[in-house]
Amino acid sequence: MASLSEYPRFTLGQELTAEQRAFFSKYGFLHFRPFASPEQVQAYLKATQDIQATWLAQNVDKVNGVPIKYGKDVDGSPIVQRFAFASQHSPVLHELLQDPRFEALFPLLESSDGRVGENERDGLVVNHYVNVEGSEFSQMGWHTDSLRDVFYGKRIRPMLNVGLHLDGTKATNGGLRIIPGTHRQSLGKMLFRKKYYKDVYYDPNEIAVETEPGDLTVHDGRMWHRVAQSPLVGPESRRRVMYVPIIGGKYQPKSNESPTPFYLRFLHLVK
């Protein structure tokens, strides 16, 4: 698993194969190619641009208590760099989350009540990374997605993070890095193996996930992962990816009255 090209890229059908389930059980992630067609990718990009135009015009700062992260594009114009609950603001993105292939991933939770978390946690998140002066989002340090459960003193709920990649990203252009197998680590290692978000450095056990537009990735919420900064500057550094959680347990939807989670009050530190 040390080579960038050694792990398999699968095809996601109406149900997972035994090979796919065994791979996820051992390594904690899956990579599917392709999931969305080029035409669908363009439709999703346009949907995010439409939401961005509305939020910029209306000075939206939070959605369901979750802060919206703004920054600058390559031409200096303002852009949204982290959207939350995007599918609640776009029929196109809402329809995407109805794709029955998402249900094929539910067995990976090892829970009988899996669902797409469209209205929970941060909903459908869109991350827009670009490495230019004024950008507020060019990388994301090492973290696990299950920390929030620990932070609130709750039992760690089963959770998958499902990413639809809208740009192709070679390992030489930064992008997603994961440490396979860390979904089976102890609670102590999940809490202290890295300095959450502050540690942005290469790990000898990491694997670069190289994507093409329309690829789908899935990783266990307990897994250590980061988003590496592109060494390129300008348009070539642009990477856009949408993430939605698949979760189990008690249904906990967010609303306009929801408070800002404490850990998100430090979102401005992630650059």
Side-chain angles (χ1 to χ4, degrees):
M1 292 289 293
S3 168
L4 296 177
S5 60
E6 282 184 359
Y7 76 84
R9 278 69 166 177
F10 298 106
T11 298
L12 182 59
Q14 298 304 311
E15 61 180 28
L16 295 174
T17 66
E19 179 187 10
Q20 291 165 356
R21 295 181 70 162
F23 185 92
F24 184 87
S25 178
K26 182 174 183 178
Y27 297 111
F29 78 101
L30 289 167
H31 186 165
F32 298 103
R33 174 178 293 167
F35 180 86
S37 69
E39 293 76 20
Q40 289 172 315
V41 168
Q42 291 306 310
Y44 302 148
L45 286 171
K46 184 180 184 304
T48 64
Q49 291 163 0
D50 291 344
I51 298 170
Q52 173 177 277
T54 299
W55 288 0
L56 284 169
Q58 296 178 356
N59 295 314
V60 174
D61 62 343
K62 294 181 182 179
V63 176
N64 296 339
V66 177
I68 305 305
K69 194 174 184 69
Y70 291 90
K72 299 293 185 181
D73 207 344
V74 295
D75 61 356
S77 62
I79 57 172
V80 177
Q81 295 204 259
R82 188 182 190 271
F83 301 68
F85 296 100
S87 66
Q88 294 184 359
H89 299 266
S90 167
V92 171
L93 299 182
H94 172 71
E95 183 180 357
L96 161 65
L97 299 187
Q98 313 315 307
D99 192 309
R101 289 177 292 175
F102 285 113
E103 295 185 18
L105 301 173
F106 291 177
L108 298 176
L109 281 176
E110 301 176 357
S111 173
S112 61
D113 55 357
R115 60 188 177 275
V116 176
E118 181 173 16
N119 304 312
E120 300 174 83
R121 291 183 173 251
D122 298 349
L124 180 67
V125 170
V126 184
N127 290 332
H128 184 168
Y129 300 97
V130 62
N131 190 18
V132 294
E133 185 177 355
S135 171
E136 291 292 319
F137 216 23
S138 63
Q139 64 182 327
M140 185 177 291
W142 286 107
H143 64 285
T144 73
D145 299 316
S146 293
L147 178 66
R148 66 182 71 193
D149 289 338
V150 177
F151 186 86
Y152 285 113
K154 298 179 180 178
R155 178 175 173 270
I156 295 176
R157 292 194 294 166
M159 183 257 182
L160 307 173
N161 210 349
V162 182
L164 179 57
H165 300 261
L166 304 178
D167 293 291
T169 303
K170 296 293 186 183
T172 52
N173 194 23
L176 180 62
R177 304 289 194 266
I178 60 176
I179 304 180
T182 51
H183 65 306
R184 299 299 188 191
Q185 66 195 328
S186 67
L187 178 60
K189 288 187 176 180
M190 196 186 84
L191 292 175
F192 302 114
R193 178 171 181 154
K194 304 282 188 184
K195 293 181 179 178
Y196 271 78
Y197 298 108
K198 293 184 67 175
D199 188 346
V200 299
Y201 305 108
Y202 169 79
D203 186 292
N205 296 306
E206 74 177 41
I207 286 178
V209 178
E210 296 187 296
T211 60
E212 295 178 359
D215 282 8
L216 194 81
T217 58
V218 184
H219 68 258
D220 191 293
R222 297 165 293 183
M223 170 179 281
W224 280 102
H225 59 288
R226 69 181 177 111
V227 177
Q229 185 179 60
S230 173
L232 306 176
V233 177
E236 295 81 7
S237 69
R238 191 184 312 278
R239 291 161 293 150
R240 292 159 291 188
V241 58
M242 302 192 295
Y243 281 103
V244 68
I246 289 180
I247 51 183
K250 182 182 178 181
Y251 181 56
Q252 298 178 316
K254 297 284 188 69
S255 70
N256 289 333
E257 287 73 42
S258 296
T260 299
F262 181 78
Y263 60 89
L264 283 177
R265 296 178 185 177
F266 302 97
L267 185 62
H268 65 282
L269 300 176
V270 179
K271 296 185 179 183

